[in-house]
Amino acid sequence: MRVNRILLSVPLVVVALVIQVSVLARLHLPGAVPDLLLLTVLGLAMVYGHVGGALVGFGAGLLADLAPPADHAAGRYALVLCVIGYFAGLVRPENGRLKSAAGPMAAVVAAAVGSTLLYAGVGALVGDTAARHVGLPGLLFSAALYDLLLAPFVVPGVMWLARRADNDPLTDTGPAAKAGDISSGWLSSGTGLRVGGQRGGLGALKAKARTRSARVGRIKGVKRL
């Protein structure tokens, strides 16, 4: 990953984890806990792509596995977020622009359900049966609902920060871009010339000069005869 991506991803992941552990986990909501860390990984993956999303997801999940009061095996949530970040990066928009909110919201619901199922499946493999006692259907519904309500306040902001830090040319409005626009406008209007072989261009002037010289040569040849 690029250095600027790492410098942005690390603070965002740490802040999301701190808020989730110290605030959201203490709300004692029925069912699952709103997963702010998952939404942060989704937002970054939709800008960085599947490779960057997988790396960010693995790092964020490993940090959550080691941060107190984690009571599960280390690497469990890292695997979950790594898979989620990879698939979220695969569905990112090609041009970097979101045409509507339907796609990201569907991705949030799929990620919430998929992460809960994958987390419960990995837990079953290592002997953790906590999901059975709580009720898996209730966890799936509450996780999707909470993440869907929280997503509009998290995912767009994370994607905007990621684009700004990544120097996205689609959002480049700096002095270089303005200078290019000014110079092209000056060449096309201020001097009266048009660039690119259009009417009145340099190519047309050279052609006219050659035609005139040829005519002069013919006239001189006629006079000598």
Side-chain angles (χ1 to χ4, degrees), residues 192-212:
L193 302 178
R194 295 180 185 269
V195 181
Q198 296 178 356
R199 184 178 180 181
L202 295 177
L205 292 177
K206 292 181 179 180
K208 290 181 179 179
R210 292 173 183 172
T211 304
R212 289 177 181 175

Side-chain angles (χ1 to χ4, degrees), residues 158-180:
V158 171
M159 293 181 67
W160 181 82
L161 289 174
R163 289 198 191 99
R164 295 288 293 180
D166 209 27
N167 295 324
D168 192 349
L170 293 174
T171 59
D172 190 8
T173 57
K178 293 180 179 179

Side-chain angles (χ1 to χ4, degrees), residues 207-225:
K208 290 181 179 179
R210 292 173 183 172
T211 304
R212 289 177 181 175
S213 62
R215 288 179 179 176
V216 171
R218 291 197 204 98
I219 293 173
K220 289 181 177 180
V222 172
K223 288 181 177 180
R224 287 176 183 177
L225 293 175

Side-chain angles (χ1 to χ4, degrees), residues 117-132:
L117 289 175
L118 187 57
Y119 187 83
V122 175
L125 293 177
V126 298
D128 185 3
T129 59
R132 297 180 182 178

Side-chain angles (χ1 to χ4, degrees), residues 9-86:
S9 301
V10 171
L12 287 178
V13 167
V14 171
V15 171
L17 181 61
V18 170
I19 295 176
Q20 181 170 330
V21 173
S22 60
V23 178
L24 298 179
R26 297 186 179 183
L27 295 178
H28 301 292
L29 297 173
V33 176
D35 202 338
L36 184 61
L37 194 61
L38 173 66
L39 298 178
T40 303
V41 172
L42 280 179
L44 294 174
M46 288 184 182
V47 178
Y48 295 160
H50 59 283
V51 176
L55 293 175
V56 172
F58 179 81
L62 186 61
L63 185 62
D65 289 332
L66 300 177
D71 56 353
H72 54 268
R76 181 177 172 184
Y77 201 49
L79 174 62
V80 172
L81 287 187
C82 180
V83 174
I84 296 298
Y86 178 84

Side-chain angles (χ1 to χ4, degrees), residues 88-137:
L90 291 177
V91 299
R92 71 168 180 167
E94 292 294 335
N95 59 354
R97 302 284 186 179
L98 296 176
K99 296 181 180 180
S100 65
M105 289 301 154
V108 169
V109 174
V113 174
S115 62
T116 304
L117 289 175
L118 187 57
Y119 187 83
V122 175
L125 293 177
V126 298
D128 185 3
T129 59
R132 297 180 182 178
H133 302 289
V134 177
L136 189 57

